[in-house]
Amino acid sequence: MKSKNKKQKFRVGVLMGGKSIEREVSFNSGRTICDHLDTQRYEIIPIFQTVEGTLYLLPWHFLHRGKICDFAHRLEDEATKITWDSLADLIDFAYLAMHGRFAEDGTLQGMLEVLGIPYLGAKVRGSAVGIEKGLQKNFLHINGIKTPHSVELSVHEAETITPDKLIQRLADNNLSLPCVVKPVHEGSSLGVTVVHREQQLLPALTHACAIDPTKKQNVIIEEYISGKEFVCIVLQKKDSNDWFALPITHVIAETNTHLFDYDQKYMPGRATKITPAPFSPAEHENITKTCIRVAQSLEYHTTARIDGFLTNNGDVVIIDPNILTGMAPSSFIFNQAAEHGMSHTDLINYFIERELCYYGKSIPNNPELTKKDNDMIGANKEKIRVGVLLGGDSHEREISLESGRNVCYKLSPHKYDVTPIFVDETMKLYKLNQKLLVKNSTREIAGLVTPDIEIKWAQLPDNFDFIFLGLHGGRGENGAVQGTLEMLGLPYNGPGIFASALCIDKYKTNAFLRSKGFDVPSSQIITKDTWQEKNNDQKLDFLTNTILKDLTFPLIVKPHDDGCSVMVDKATNQAELLTQIDKHFTTEKTTVMLEEFIQGLELTCGVIGNDNITILPASQAIANKGILSIEEKFLPGQGENQTPAPLPTSARKLLEKTLASAYKTVNCSGYARIDCFYQDAHQSPTGKERIVLLEFNTLPGLTPATCLFHQAAEIGLKPMELIDTIVSLGFEQHKKAAVTKMKAQKQGLEQETIHST
């Protein structure tokens, strides 16, 4: 039952997951909403719906998982199951972070209407049209809004039509190649194919029709539109039904892809997304007026995302209206809102307040809570000034942007005064505002920074008490930046110079650990000069007589100084190995590492601490193709991490002992993530279970769904608490180092005095 206690905060239920094939994108959106909801005003109630339709109050320790299957099997035992009927007693407002069928088609909206729960977005009729692409076109045509010419095929037609009849059907509807084939009910570019040749048509139909394995659907074939692709998000004013548009985004798909696909939408740094779009005032006005008419024609509510093209002759052609938009941390809506002067929290507050105004409701005032919150803020007037470095000069700069941005959002605003600092490829520093922080890629930020926001390295101590390194790879992780901060006397997170300089080089780290008695894979290094001075026959002889004397297939081919699965391949024979080494040296890399392929349970494990070390519960990293790809690490719905890993007790104890010893051996401090393999007695060549150390990550990723957050959650640490712990450990380590240095200096002076006496 609802509590009658007036002191209770307004309860916002964030609905995520769902029954559609966009459930992973929904989970990503829901996590972001929970991260940015104003906890001074609202109580957050995460609510997860499984693909079967069951509702659960989602435990917070599942919220930052990377993929639904990472926790779905644990819901029955660890989450509270609820029913739709109980929802009205649990929440005051439903923030819809669901996407696709059953969420954007009137189904969910109808349920909430019956239950009498206010909710975000289009109501039943607008939602019923909101995901049905054929109906959308009809309503838009009635209102004089242009869409691509198209023809819709039923499921039966899509499965039975012959190539000749299909070509004739296209001709009858004034369609020719290239064309776009898409399912009627899906978003996120799922099931969409750009067809250039007739023989591609039937496979594209089959793909679109069956993209949702639970229910086949009609297919639309439409003309391929050339021009400038845009995304326009429109909002309704708080106190009226009038609409206004946020600054438009110009989308440029990657070269030769012909389609802004799922990977480009959600993978860090992919495609080009320019906000505000470089359109003329007349073009901007034409697009915004058209998109507002779209929202009005389809009876959308509070917000809508309208995708379309500005053609070469100036026409605005609408390709995909959406009643809700994805809300990942750097999604279109947050980019555009930032240009409008709104933070993530501002925008979410706006949506809730606007909807409550529509429902004739308001957030009840709670004087006691307000006083308590003000007292808490007042008690921390002297905030710790933290500069968060992100970007950098390595291949991992896009992941660094994701990590650094997330750290900025996870540092408590009541304790820290946070400034994002962009590190460009030449290692220059620039202070970022919210507009720049939410940009899609480092190349976009690099093109927008100006001399007036540059800050010199020597100025950091005057502006900050602590530097949080959100950098990965390159000079950000190899000891160079660490040395710089040591010289400046600034505390920072993570290991010091030695551990950073050693662990960035996987080959030397393994050699060092092997010399200390640890199990590591066998490996060899080949330099670019050695390789390229040989012809193909000589290369094969070199591999046979030198490399393969100590290593056997399969082999891992990778850089010795990069992370995030950048340029990692697996070779099963000499021909593949030859090709992969050649490909590796087409880059700027001057060295390639060949490593023994280890059979066993692949694990990744966070370690936190300075003198007192905590080994976090390990995650099992499951690779679909034998080696983890960057997509499996960072693309929503890809990859799988089971935390805690399914290890027997003896293996867990061996793992903890081995990792603690290795952490100390390489002189790590603060935190790190260690990748390794567990081999049982049958898999191990020694006949005994063992841990094979793969690599150290001294500045591991801190993206919203990183495995470090999963692992910390298993021991009761929330993401904000983990970040706070990392900062505290940084202060502790550098205070200890300062004391040690002072003692050494004092001892040196005493000895000098004795000597002179």
Side-chain angles (χ1 to χ4, degrees):
M1 295 292 293
K2 270 187 186 177
S3 170
K4 295 181 180 180
N5 184 356
K6 293 181 180 180
K7 296 179 184 179
Q8 186 180 50
K9 287 185 180 180
F10 191 82
R11 299 167 302 174
V12 175
V14 181
L15 276 65
M16 64 187 86
K19 299 167 68 174
S20 84
I21 59 174
E22 292 186 76
R23 66 184 74 93
E24 298 288 355
V25 177
S26 165
F27 179 52
N28 203 22
S29 291
R31 175 175 55 240
T32 306
I33 301 307
C34 291
D35 277 348
H36 293 279
L37 259 170
D38 187 351
T39 55
Q40 301 303 311
R41 307 177 68 188
Y42 309 119
E43 180 185 355
I44 305 169
I45 313 288
I47 299 170
F48 181 81
Q49 185 185 38
T50 68
V51 67
E52 297 82 14
T54 307
L55 293 178
Y56 289 95
L57 296 177
L58 188 70
W60 67 264
H61 60 278
F62 291 155
L63 188 59
H64 293 85
R65 302 285 167 141
K67 189 177 180 181
I68 291 169
C69 66
D70 291 351
F71 62 85
H73 59 290
R74 296 172 60 183
L75 288 170
E76 186 70 28
D77 294 330
E78 299 180 44
T80 301
K81 187 184 295 186
I82 62 173
T83 65
W84 287 107
D85 295 278
S86 65
L87 204 57
D89 292 326
L90 297 169
I91 65 173
D92 302 306
F93 180 82
Y95 197 108
L96 305 189
M98 288 183 173
H99 305 301
R101 276 199 277 183
F102 303 101
E104 291 182 84
D105 60 1
T107 304
L108 176 58
Q109 290 76 8
M111 173 63 79
L112 294 172
E113 293 280 355
V114 168
L115 296 173
I117 300 174
Y119 60 91
L120 172 66
K123 308 314 169 190
V124 174
R125 186 164 54 240
S127 300
V129 178
I131 200 169
E132 173 45 86
K133 291 178 171 57
L135 285 176
Q136 286 176 348
K137 288 175 180 289
N138 292 334
F139 279 93
L140 295 178
H141 290 166
I142 290 170
N143 288 276
I145 297 167
K146 294 181 180 180
T147 67
H149 296 303
S150 64
V151 59
E152 183 171 342
L153 275 64
S154 68
V155 171
H156 176 73
E157 289 175 310
E159 292 184 326
T160 61
I161 196 167
T162 64
D164 290 343
K165 288 185 177 180
L166 180 57
I167 296 299
Q168 186 59 51
R169 186 78 174 272
L170 296 182
D172 293 343
N173 287 273
N174 297 316
L175 289 169
S176 59
L177 301 183
C179 63
V180 180
V181 179
K182 61 174 68 171
V184 166
H185 296 109
E186 306 301 342
S188 296
S189 298
L190 291 166
V192 180
T193 307
V194 177
V195 174
H196 295 272
R197 299 189 301 274
E198 290 183 5
Q199 56 267 37
Q200 297 174 323
L201 275 167
L202 290 185
L205 283 183
T206 301
H207 177 59
C209 181
I211 189 64
D212 184 343
T214 65
K215 185 178 180 181
K216 292 182 178 179
Q217 58 189 291
N218 291 359
V219 177
I220 284 181
I221 305 175
E222 65 184 26
E223 68 175 312
Y224 180 79
I225 304 295
S226 295
K228 299 174 182 176
E229 188 169 0
F230 66 80
V231 172
C232 180
I233 293 170
V234 293
L235 310 179
Q236 282 184 301
K237 295 179 179 178
K238 276 187 185 179
D239 54 357
S240 74
N241 290 326
D242 294 337
W243 291 84
F244 66 95
L246 294 176
I248 300 166
T249 300
H250 176 33
V251 177
I252 304 173
E254 293 172 346
T255 305
N256 299 323
T257 60
H258 309 291
L259 172 69
F260 184 45
D261 60 18
Y262 183 89
D263 287 16
Q264 292 179 58
K265 285 183 175 179
Y266 300 112
M267 194 67 187
R270 296 287 297 273
T272 299
K273 304 159 190 174
I274 305 172
T275 310
F279 299 152
S280 70
E283 291 170 335
H284 186 275
E285 184 179 9
N286 190 10
I287 292 170
T288 56
K289 283 185 175 180
T290 302
C291 291
I292 288 172
R293 286 172 55 212
V294 170
Q296 293 169 330
S297 300
L298 300 178
E299 294 188 65
Y300 287 172
H301 192 268
T302 295
T303 182
R305 195 193 85 218
I306 315 298
D307 302 346
F309 278 88
L310 179 67
T311 66
N312 296 331
N313 61 5
D315 289 335
V316 175
V317 180
I318 303 302
I319 62 169
D320 191 15
N322 301 267
I323 67 168
L324 296 169
T325 182
M327 300 192 81
S330 61
S331 60
F332 292 116
I333 193 165
F334 290 130
N335 266 278
Q336 296 181 11
E339 293 290 331
H340 196 69
M342 303 172 79
S343 69
H344 291 50
T345 299
D346 292 337
L347 180 68
I348 294 167
N349 283 347
Y350 184 92
F351 284 159
I352 296 172
E353 290 166 5
R354 201 276 161 189
E355 287 291 0
L356 291 178
C357 183
Y358 167 78
Y359 284 102
K361 297 177 179 290
S362 61
I363 301 168
N365 290 325
N366 193 326
E368 289 196 20
L369 279 175
T370 303
K371 182 179 184 302
K372 177 183 174 184
D373 294 337
N374 287 337
D375 288 345
M376 181 174 67
I377 294 169
N380 287 285
K381 287 181 179 178
E382 293 300 323
K383 295 181 182 179
I384 298 170
R385 301 171 302 166
V386 178
V388 180
L389 302 191
L390 50 90
D393 65 343
S394 79
H395 288 105
E396 301 174 66
R397 64 181 71 92
E398 302 303 337
I399 307 305
S400 170
L401 173 57
E402 293 283 315
S403 288
R405 178 164 48 215
N406 190 48
V407 169
C408 290
Y409 298 147
K410 294 292 193 302
L411 282 162
S412 170
H414 304 303
K415 184 175 181 179
Y416 302 105
D417 180 11
V418 181
T419 302
I421 302 174
F422 177 66
V423 186
D424 74 8
E425 292 186 51
T426 67
M427 302 303 287
K428 287 184 178 180
L429 307 178
Y430 299 88
K431 290 184 178 181
L432 300 185
N433 57 24
Q434 176 68 8
K435 289 183 184 181
L436 292 173
L437 181 62
V438 296
K439 293 301 178 186
N440 176 63
S441 68
T442 59
R443 64 180 177 275
E444 290 178 32
I445 296 174
L448 294 169
V449 294
T450 52
D452 60 296
I453 61 172
E454 184 179 356
I455 181 171
K456 302 298 183 182
W457 287 93
Q459 294 174 313
L460 293 181
D462 295 328
N463 288 270
F464 303 105
D465 307 306
F466 188 91
I467 296 297
F468 198 110
L469 302 179
L471 303 170
H472 306 310
R475 284 176 280 183
E477 199 172 356
N478 70 2
V481 168
Q482 288 77 5
T484 301
L485 297 176
E486 295 280 359
M487 179 63 72
L488 296 172
L490 270 170
Y492 57 90
N493 57 301
I497 300 170
F498 171 75
S500 301
L502 174 64
C503 293
I504 196 71
D505 190 314
K506 298 177 179 65
Y507 181 74
K508 290 179 180 176
T509 303
N510 283 359
F512 179 73
L513 289 169
R514 186 184 296 112
S515 73
K516 298 294 184 179
F518 292 93
D519 289 312
V520 297
S522 299
S523 58
Q524 295 275 8
I525 287 287
I526 301 175
T527 65
K528 189 171 188 175
D529 289 342
T530 299
W531 186 252
Q532 292 189 335
E533 69 184 9
K534 306 177 190 301
N535 60 36
N536 277 352
D537 289 338
Q538 291 171 330
K539 289 175 181 176
L540 286 171
D541 289 340
F542 173 72
L543 291 176
T544 302
N545 298 326
T546 306
I547 303 300
L548 298 177
K549 284 177 65 178
D550 300 313
L551 296 173
T552 58
F553 291 109
L555 289 174
I556 300 298
V557 182
K558 64 183 183 182
H560 72 296
D561 59 354
D562 258 318
C564 293
S565 298
V566 172
M567 296 190 292
V568 179
D569 286 306
K570 181 181 177 182
T572 59
N573 56 55
Q574 283 196 4
E576 288 180 359
L577 183 58
L578 188 70
T579 300
Q580 288 168 11
I581 297 173
D582 281 337
K583 182 178 74 172
H584 189 92
F585 286 137
T586 60
T587 70
E588 81 287 356
K589 292 293 183 184
T590 59
T591 307
V592 65
M593 181 175 173
L594 309 182
E595 184 177 76
E596 171 190 7
F597 179 78
I598 303 294
Q599 294 283 358
L601 192 68
E602 187 168 1
L603 304 170
T604 187
C605 190
V607 185
I608 54 177
N610 293 326
D611 297 323
N612 299 315
I613 297 171
T614 299
I615 308 297
L616 298 177
S619 300
Q620 180 190 6
I622 299 173
N624 291 326
K625 297 181 180 179
I627 53 174
L628 281 174
S629 66
I630 191 170
E631 288 77 16
E632 286 176 308
K633 288 186 175 182
F634 299 107
L635 186 64
Q638 297 294 310
E640 182 177 348
N641 279 295
Q642 289 299 330
T643 311
L647 289 169
T649 302
S650 62
R652 182 176 53 79
K653 290 181 178 179
L654 176 63
L655 177 71
E656 291 174 355
K657 180 181 178 181
T658 304
L659 297 192
S661 178
Y663 186 82
K664 290 180 178 179
T665 298
V666 299
N667 204 29
C668 267
S669 58
Y671 71 119
R673 197 191 78 234
I674 304 175
D675 300 339
C676 59
F677 279 88
Y678 165 71
Q679 291 183 322
D680 61 27
H682 297 292
Q683 294 168 320
S684 172
T686 66
K688 297 179 181 179
E689 63 177 356
R690 65 173 188 159
I691 302 298
V692 183
L693 300 174
L694 205 58
E695 62 182 78
F696 276 71
N697 299 272
T698 55
L699 290 176
L702 289 170
T703 58
T706 180
C707 63
L708 279 187
F709 291 145
H710 316 172
Q711 295 170 10
E714 293 292 325
I715 64 167
L717 275 178
K718 293 183 177 180
M720 190 173 283
E721 293 168 338
L722 176 62
I723 300 298
D724 189 60
T725 299
I726 290 170
V727 173
S728 297
L729 288 166
F731 273 121
E732 176 187 282
Q733 182 67 10
H734 292 281
K735 181 179 180 181
K736 184 177 73 174
V739 170
T740 302
K741 185 177 180 180
M742 286 174 61
K743 286 181 178 178
Q745 289 173 340
K746 182 179 179 182
Q747 185 178 7
L749 286 171
E750 289 174 348
Q751 290 177 343
E752 186 177 336
T753 302
I754 293 169
H755 179 73
S756 61
T757 301

